[in-house]
Amino acid sequence: NKLGGTDWAKTKARAKAAAKDISKELLALYAKRSAQAGFAFSPDGPWQREFEDRFEYEETEAQLRCIAEIKSDMERPMPMDRLLCGDVGFGKTEVALRAVMKCVMDGKQAAILVPTTVLAKQHYVTTIKRFAGYPVQVEVLSRHKSPGQMNESLQKKKNGTTDIVIGTH
């Protein structure tokens, strides 16, 4: 559209209205979430510390800060609202897996959602490797599984025999 034209003005007005609608929905969602009680996870136990000590790389300062903040959020009795961002290769998966370990150690299930089937497979392999030696069951959901395999994985999740599910969002 031509800037300053009527089509531009209409498009701009529609975008502004849509942004206001989204803002209202988000405010209502956050108000509802803040009124709900969440699950307060237990402080770190011996397996959590052992799991973290088994990490084969040295953590960055930013990773350690994020890990501490996320664990602190998880130990509060309110729904956690946090977004972890970072460039490829800077340890977001390890930060997430430590939160997953904390979750699973308290008898809860965790889901790791990724944008592609290739990334789902990569995270599955990494997760299996990181959780080796622990009584943790991991399943992957992707288009590379047959419908029967997908149903079996979903049934395991439903009946609680799977601790971690990795799949595309």
Side-chain angles (χ1 to χ4, degrees), residues 119-129 138-140 166:
L119 200 53
K121 176 67 174 173
Q122 288 173 342
H123 277 68
Y124 176 71
V125 170
T126 299
T127 302
I128 291 293
K129 181 180 173 188
V138 183
E139 290 285 329
V140 65
I166 302 168

Side-chain angles (χ1 to χ4, degrees), residues 99-149:
V100 167
M101 179 64 158
K102 188 170 194 65
C103 173
V104 169
M105 288 299 100
D106 265 4
K108 302 293 183 186
Q109 292 176 309
I112 299 173
L113 302 176
V114 297
T116 67
T117 54
V118 170
L119 200 53
K121 176 67 174 173
Q122 288 173 342
H123 277 68
Y124 176 71
V125 170
T126 299
T127 302
I128 291 293
K129 181 180 173 188
R130 283 294 280 129
F131 283 89
Y134 295 98
V136 175
Q137 297 299 310
V138 183
E139 290 285 329
V140 65
L141 301 172
S142 80
R143 63 184 171 88
H144 295 156
K145 283 189 140 188
S146 70
Q149 291 172 316

Side-chain angles (χ1 to χ4, degrees), residues 146-157:
S146 70
Q149 291 172 316
M150 292 283 280
N151 286 333
E152 183 180 338
S153 293
L154 290 170
Q155 189 58 42
K156 287 179 182 178
K157 184 203 77 63

Side-chain angles (χ1 to χ4, degrees), residues 53-64:
D53 289 344
R54 286 176 45 187
F55 185 51
E56 59 186 305
Y57 303 103
E58 187 174 332
E59 298 91 341
T60 66
E61 201 173 298
Q63 272 181 306
L64 292 172

